């Protein structure tokens, strides 16, 4: 639901004041908070003065960097009625720049303790070879070289940092050919390699597995605080506990039907003879 202009201005100002009070209560300057959440100091200033309403992901970055408890976060989110659900259109993401999106994802991945990725259609960038990443961006406007480089750099989070990762891929996601056979074989070998990392659980759901719910969308859950859902035309983000809980329950259900460890690696090899 959209806010009316006067409500929007009031909500923006109240939210900014509350965030400024939380920052001061944490003993942080705007500059230190900016470093903590990988956001520009000028952007934080605009949010605190009500000149800019933060996106849900931005708000999550700020609350996480401020180490705000769930009890404290509730009133903050209530400052804006639409704060618990957010839509970001694909064109808006392109306008901001694909590199900006990579900064957001990097923060989410490094600030979570557990992240779960349900991948029914394609391999995600954290698991992809450079060739696969570039091929997946052919529909994006402009030169994507910088985005490819940032996606590759982000993969280090699988080896460093506090977060543990679980990836669930359907057979279709693993086998969907966006590269020639040799490129897809390299991508399969990459999945096998990543599946051996200490903080990674990689599961595959073969065709023929009996599932009570169809795999409709790619989605990611970060702890119990945030869920993001991707569709062709953009991305939805949820922070409402009931919504996040629903996606966590779906993830757990799909996880029960996945093959892990040696079984997953053997199945991937059988699909590509690698």
């Amino acid at each position: 639901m959209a806010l009316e202009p006067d409500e929007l201005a009031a909500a923006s100002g109240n939210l900014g004041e509350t965030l400024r009070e939380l920052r001061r209560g944490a003993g942080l300057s705007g500059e230190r908070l900016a470093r903590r959440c990988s956001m520009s100091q000028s952007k934080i200033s605009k949010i605190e003065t009500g000149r800019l309403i933060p996106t849900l992901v931005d708000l999550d970055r700020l609350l996480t960097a401020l180490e705000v408890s769930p009890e404290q976060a509730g009133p903050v989110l209530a400052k804006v009625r639409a704060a618990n659900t957010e839509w970001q259109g694909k064109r808006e993401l392109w306008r901001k720049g694909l590199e900006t999106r990579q900064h957001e994802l990097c923060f989410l991945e490094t600030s979570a303790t557990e992240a779960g990725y349900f991948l029914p259609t394609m391999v995600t960038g954290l698991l992809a070879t450079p060739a696969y990443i570039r091929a997946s961006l052919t529909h994006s406007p402009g030169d994507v070289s910088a985005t490819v480089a940032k996606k590759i750099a982000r993969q280090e989070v699988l080896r460093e940092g506090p977060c543990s990762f679980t990836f669930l891929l359907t057979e279709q996601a693993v086998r969907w050919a966006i590269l020639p056979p040799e490129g897809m074989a390299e991508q399969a070998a990459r999945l096998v390699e990543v599946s051996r990392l200490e903080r990674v659980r990689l599961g595959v759901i073969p065709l023929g597995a009996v599932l009570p719910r169809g795999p409709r969308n790619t989605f990611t859950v970060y702890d119990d605080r945030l869920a993001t859902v991707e569709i062709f035309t953009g991305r939805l983000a949820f922070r409402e506990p009931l919504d996040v809980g629903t996606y966590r329950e779906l993830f757990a259900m799909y996880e029960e039907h996945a093959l892990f460890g040696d079984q997953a690696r053997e199945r991937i090899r059988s699909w590509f003879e690698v």
Side-chain angles (χ1 to χ4, degrees), residues 117 119 123-124 126-127 158 165-169 174 187-188 190-197 199-205 258-265 268 271:
Y117 299 73
L119 306 166
V123 174
T124 187
L126 287 177
L127 304 176
L158 299 178
F165 296 85
T166 301
F167 298 95
L168 301 179
L169 299 95
V174 176
Q187 177 56 56
R190 162 73 179 165
L191 294 178
V192 170
E193 174 191 357
V194 172
S195 73
R196 298 184 185 280
L197 296 178
R199 290 184 297 105
V200 171
R201 293 181 72 239
L202 190 149
V204 295
I205 304 174
L259 304 176
F260 289 92
D262 288 339
Q263 285 186 311
R265 289 187 280 271
I268 293 170
W271 292 332

Side-chain angles (χ1 to χ4, degrees), residues 24-199:
R24 289 173 175 171
L28 294 175
S29 65
E31 183 179 359
R32 286 183 62 194
L33 177 58
R35 288 199 299 268
R36 275 195 181 188
C37 62
S38 302
M39 192 180 294
S40 71
Q41 186 177 358
S42 63
K43 184 173 183 177
I44 290 175
S45 176
K46 289 177 181 178
I47 291 171
E48 289 187 349
T49 55
R51 290 176 291 162
L52 177 67
I53 297 178
T55 67
L56 182 57
V57 172
D58 284 342
L59 189 56
D60 181 79
R61 293 162 72 183
L62 289 166
L63 295 178
T64 300
L66 289 168
E67 299 180 349
V68 173
S69 68
E71 292 75 20
Q72 289 176 301
V76 176
L77 292 170
K79 297 289 184 181
V80 179
R81 287 187 305 181
N84 282 318
T85 304
E86 173 188 281
W87 164 255
Q88 285 189 326
K90 183 71 72 177
R91 289 178 177 82
E92 179 187 355
L93 295 173
W94 284 341
R95 180 180 56 78
K96 289 182 176 180
L98 296 176
E99 294 84 359
T100 300
R101 169 72 170 143
Q102 297 309 303
H103 286 301
E104 288 183 355
L105 290 172
C106 184
F107 181 84
L108 291 174
E109 291 153 0
T110 55
S111 63
T113 56
E114 294 181 355
Y117 299 73
F118 179 62
L119 306 166
T121 55
M122 287 181 66
V123 174
T124 187
L126 287 177
L127 304 176
T129 64
Y132 190 102
I133 292 172
R134 185 170 289 278
S136 71
L137 294 172
T138 54
H139 65 286
S140 303
D143 184 2
V144 298
S145 298
T147 302
V148 172
K150 288 186 181 295
K151 280 177 173 280
I152 294 171
R154 270 181 51 224
Q155 294 176 351
E156 286 302 309
V157 75
L158 299 178
R159 296 177 173 82
E160 301 176 358
C163 191
S164 296
F165 296 85
T166 301
F167 298 95
L168 301 179
L169 299 95
T170 65
E171 180 176 340
Q172 173 178 302
V174 176
R175 302 182 70 174
W176 189 270
I178 66 171
L179 290 169
E182 61 273 16
M184 292 303 297
E186 289 178 3
Q187 177 56 56
R190 162 73 179 165
L191 294 178
V192 170
E193 174 191 357
V194 172
S195 73
R196 298 184 185 280
L197 296 178
E198 181 179 357
R199 290 184 297 105

